[in-house]
Amino acid sequence: MKNCTLYRILALCLAIYTALCSASEEATVTVQSEYNTNATLPCPALSYSKHYTSLTWYKFSPIKEGIIRNSTRQSKPQPYKNYENRTDVSLTEDGSLVLQKVNFSQGGMYKCYLAGKVGHRNNESFVILNVTESVTEETPTLDVTSKFVHHSTELNSSMVSLVLPVDVSPLSVLIGFLSLSLSKALLCFACVGGMVSFKDHQRRKLWAK
């Protein structure tokens, strides 16, 4: 009875250890790449797996699709059927997958699979490629705004005073209106007085004759 319990405990520990090892070795990394630029996808599984017979890259779109395979028995990597005539896919010496001038359809989940040698386990790692839109040119709106700001800095103080709003109280408006009315009345009186003086002067000249 004790032996059965001991075996169960050992089996449970072995299962936990295997699960922890699998979780640590099946790493997932994320790569950000702008549209129409080259993207390099690393293979983290190579850091903890040195004994393998082949390295294969897959893409999930949504089913698993083979991209390229590099076997230790062959001199150069072999692309899968859908990638045979493509020159934008290659492998580096360290097993990284290089995608040239990526587009939005190439974003998604990639898998690096290592087939282990006899007596060694297989390993794999996953890479998520996010393709973002590149922004290389400024919009015309930004150019117009910058020109407007530059032009506004060249305004003199008198122009700025005309543009800036001024808070005016009702009392100030009333005083200004009365002052304007008084000025008009005084101007009218002055004009009338001038005309009267001019006519008196003309009459005196006639009488003097």
Side-chain angles (χ1 to χ4, degrees):
M1 184 69 179
K2 293 183 179 179
N3 292 334
C4 293
T5 305
L6 181 60
Y7 289 149
R8 290 179 181 177
I9 294 174
L10 291 176
L12 180 61
C13 293
L14 181 61
I16 295 174
Y17 175 77
T18 303
L20 291 175
C21 291
S22 299
S24 62
E25 293 181 359
E26 293 181 1
T28 301
V29 297
T30 302
V31 174
Q32 300 284 346
S33 180
E34 292 186 354
Y35 177 82
N36 205 31
T37 60
N38 297 343
T40 301
L41 310 184
C43 182
L46 288 171
S47 62
Y48 48 77
S49 180
K50 304 299 181 182
H51 305 283
Y52 62 92
T53 59
S54 64
L55 181 151
T56 307
W57 277 95
Y58 298 94
K59 185 180 187 300
F60 296 90
S61 57
I63 61 175
K64 187 172 69 172
E65 177 188 15
I67 301 175
I68 193 170
R69 181 175 182 270
N70 186 21
S71 176
T72 56
R73 299 178 182 179
Q74 297 175 344
S75 58
K76 61 179 182 180
Q78 300 295 321
Y80 278 71
K81 183 177 181 180
N82 293 337
Y83 293 84
E84 286 181 351
N85 299 322
R86 293 178 56 172
T87 58
D88 59 336
V89 177
S90 60
L91 283 179
T92 62
E93 294 182 357
D94 61 355
S96 298
L97 179 66
V98 179
L99 304 175
Q100 298 182 7
K101 297 182 178 181
V102 294
N103 52 49
F104 295 113
S105 64
Q106 290 178 289
M109 177 76 75
Y110 289 80
K111 174 183 176 181
C112 176
Y113 176 77
L114 300 176
K117 293 182 179 180
V118 178
H120 298 273
R121 66 189 300 268
N122 301 330
N123 288 297
E124 60 187 14
S125 57
F126 298 89
V127 179
I128 299 176
L129 175 62
N130 292 330
V131 181
T132 58
E133 185 176 0
S134 59
V135 181
T136 57
E137 297 181 358
E138 294 183 355
T139 59
T141 304
L142 294 177
D143 294 336
V144 172
T145 304
S146 61
K147 291 180 180 179
F148 174 76
V149 174
H150 177 70
H151 178 71
S152 63
T153 56
E154 297 178 355
L155 296 176
N156 54 37
S157 58
S158 61
M159 295 178 66
V160 173
S161 63
L162 293 175
V163 174
L164 295 177
V166 179
D167 294 333
V168 180
S169 62
L171 181 60
S172 300
V173 174
L174 180 61
I175 293 175
F177 179 75
L178 293 177
S179 300
L180 181 61
S181 301
L182 182 61
S183 299
K184 289 183 177 181
L186 292 177
L187 181 61
C188 291
F189 284 125
C191 291
V192 172
M195 292 296 296
V196 172
S197 299
F198 178 74
K199 289 182 178 181
D200 290 341
H201 181 68
Q202 292 295 329
R203 289 175 184 175
R204 290 174 184 177
K205 282 186 177 181
L206 293 174
W207 291 344
K209 292 179 179 182

